[in-house]
Amino acid sequence: MSTLVSAAPGQITARWHKDAIAAPADSRPAAHPSRTRAWAHAWQHLTTERVTDHRHLHLDDGVLSETVSFYLTPADGSPYWTSQETDADVAPVWPGPVLWAGSPHAEYGGAGTTSPNHARTAVTEGLRLAADLGACALVFPGVDTGQAALLTDTEHRTGVLNLATDVAFTRPLGVAPDDWWNGIPARHRREIRRQWRRGTEADLHLAALTGSALQSALPRFALLANTTADRHGTRLYGADMFHHLATVPGAVLLTAQSSDGHLIGGLYCWLYDGCLYLWASGLDYTHPVARLTYTWLMCEAARWAIGQHAHTIDAGRWNCQAKQRLGYHATVLRTVVHLTEAASPAASALTELSDRLGARAAPYLNAGTLW
């Protein structure tokens, strides 16, 4: 099922699709795993993020084309967004259902920003859909500064917020393990190597699971991932997320296993376009070597990625201190909100949320970095 909404000469053709895989191919490869068609198709089946409706908008100006996926959730339907509210110590900000362009669970968004015309059309058609579905806001999470500017610079100027909400961490890998170690700040390098060595001496070994082996390990890993997330205040994951996202190109579960095959910890990742993306972690805190496992896994993940000829590693969001110690560099990610009611009380609540998250991030940002 598809619906053509505009096809004026010299303008963008915009066509709605109910299933992501029914939309025509995009003109450029997806920039991140969370921008792939496989991710969009997987996400429309989720129950952990309570997706109650979804649409996929294909935009084509005759040269460049892309697909923007929209997901409707109840006000409290996104566990990742709830974790942001928890971390900021604010009350829930949404007064009603929310239409997300992408998902807060995806580290990176940005669909709809191929050009200024694409962005304007994505916002216009997204707001029409939000009105049809009764959403209180159209929200574009996980965008960089340039993408946020495009999504803000539209004719819809009332009730628009461009807010910093996240910190992502990346670093180059180098071509050999020594390059990785040398990229760790000197004041932390010795201790991190000591923890990695002790984990290895404790007989931890890395198993990179894909395909059926990955699927078989998911019930155990989902339990560990939620135990880890619960320690930070919000249950983030469901087994359905991990199961469906295993179809995204490059999916791999990097596991720390004992000599008897016991899964002590893991990192759910994608190796995509030369970058290893670490998305979710889980640890067995009852195991005697649990205190070493996170650092050991982070080092082993980098060593494994180098062996796969990757050039970059992306460690995901927050957990700032641990990632800074490992030599990662912080990048601010933004969320653009188009409120469907200009006088919505959510505006001040969202600004407060951003300010409080900024205070948490500030010690880990380079001097001069704007929040």
Side-chain angles (χ1 to χ4, degrees):
M1 183 276 291
S2 66
T3 304
L4 183 68
V5 293
S6 64
Q11 296 184 354
I12 288 180
T13 299
R15 189 182 294 270
W16 287 103
H17 298 269
K18 183 61 176 175
D19 194 309
I21 59 174
D26 297 342
S27 60
R28 294 176 176 175
H32 307 284
S34 53
R35 293 272 301 277
T36 61
R37 195 65 54 87
W39 181 294
H41 178 70
W43 210 259
Q44 67 193 34
H45 297 293
L46 292 193
T47 55
T48 299
E49 182 166 88
R50 305 203 316 271
V51 176
T52 59
D53 208 338
H54 55 86
R55 300 286 193 282
H56 308 276
L57 180 66
H58 187 73
L59 304 173
D60 190 344
D61 65 4
V63 178
L64 298 172
S65 63
E66 63 177 321
T67 304
V68 191
S69 295
F70 296 89
Y71 305 95
L72 184 73
T73 73
D76 61 349
S78 173
Y80 185 81
W81 186 266
T82 298
S83 76
Q84 296 286 71
E85 295 169 336
T86 299
D87 289 345
D89 194 23
V90 298
V93 301
W94 305 116
V98 181
L99 185 64
W100 305 95
S103 165
H105 270 278
E107 182 178 7
Y108 298 107
T113 60
T114 294
S115 73
N117 281 340
H118 282 77
R120 283 190 286 271
T121 307
V123 171
T124 296
E125 299 304 330
L127 282 169
R128 288 176 181 169
L129 180 62
D132 289 345
L133 298 178
C136 73
L138 167 65
V139 185
F140 293 82
V143 296
D144 63 29
T145 301
Q147 292 166 340
L150 289 174
L151 294 165
T152 305
D153 185 22
T154 72
E155 63 266 30
H156 309 280
R157 300 300 184 111
T158 305
V160 182
L161 299 169
N162 179 350
L163 304 166
T165 52
D166 262 310
V167 185
F169 288 88
T170 60
R171 58 162 290 185
L173 283 164
V175 296
D178 280 350
D179 297 324
W180 160 259
W181 291 116
N182 291 335
I184 297 173
R187 64 186 181 278
H188 301 305
R189 192 180 307 145
R190 182 175 180 180
E191 174 59 20
I192 289 169
R193 290 200 75 142
R194 185 186 71 84
Q195 291 187 41
W196 168 75
R197 186 172 58 252
R198 288 190 63 194
T200 301
E201 291 169 351
D203 207 23
L204 288 178
H205 69 275
L206 187 77
L209 308 181
T210 59
S212 59
L214 184 157
Q215 292 283 5
S216 296
L218 288 184
R220 167 72 175 164
F221 175 74
L223 176 63
L224 298 185
N226 272 320
T227 299
T228 301
D230 288 350
R231 290 165 71 97
H232 297 281
T234 304
R235 175 149 292 216
L236 284 176
Y237 307 111
D240 62 317
M241 285 186 177
F242 301 129
H243 169 72
H244 288 298
L245 291 176
T247 62
V248 174
V252 58
L253 182 63
L254 299 179
T255 61
Q257 299 190 9
S258 60
S259 57
D260 62 359
H262 181 74
L263 197 160
I264 302 168
L267 298 169
Y268 197 98
C269 316
W270 290 274
L271 182 63
Y272 181 83
D273 193 26
C275 180
L276 179 65
Y277 293 83
L278 314 181
W279 186 66
S281 64
L283 298 173
D284 180 356
Y285 291 99
T286 68
H287 198 278
V289 298
R291 69 188 188 282
L292 304 171
T293 304
Y294 178 79
T295 299
W296 185 89
L297 261 175
M298 292 294 282
C299 296
E300 283 294 301
R303 288 159 55 86
W304 180 84
I306 290 169
Q308 303 299 311
H309 309 293
H311 51 70
T312 305
I313 186 166
D314 186 307
R317 295 167 286 186
W318 296 104
N319 197 10
C320 303
Q321 185 176 39
K323 292 169 185 176
Q324 190 179 64
R325 291 177 72 247
L326 286 162
Y328 286 89
H329 308 291
T331 300
V332 175
L333 296 178
R334 311 191 68 81
T335 296
V336 173
V337 181
H338 289 261
L339 297 168
T340 55
E341 295 184 8
S344 171
S348 59
L350 285 160
T351 300
E352 181 182 9
L353 178 142
S354 175
D355 290 345
R356 292 193 176 197
L357 291 174
R360 292 184 68 234
Y364 307 101
L365 302 178
N366 291 334
T369 300
L370 296 179
W371 180 259

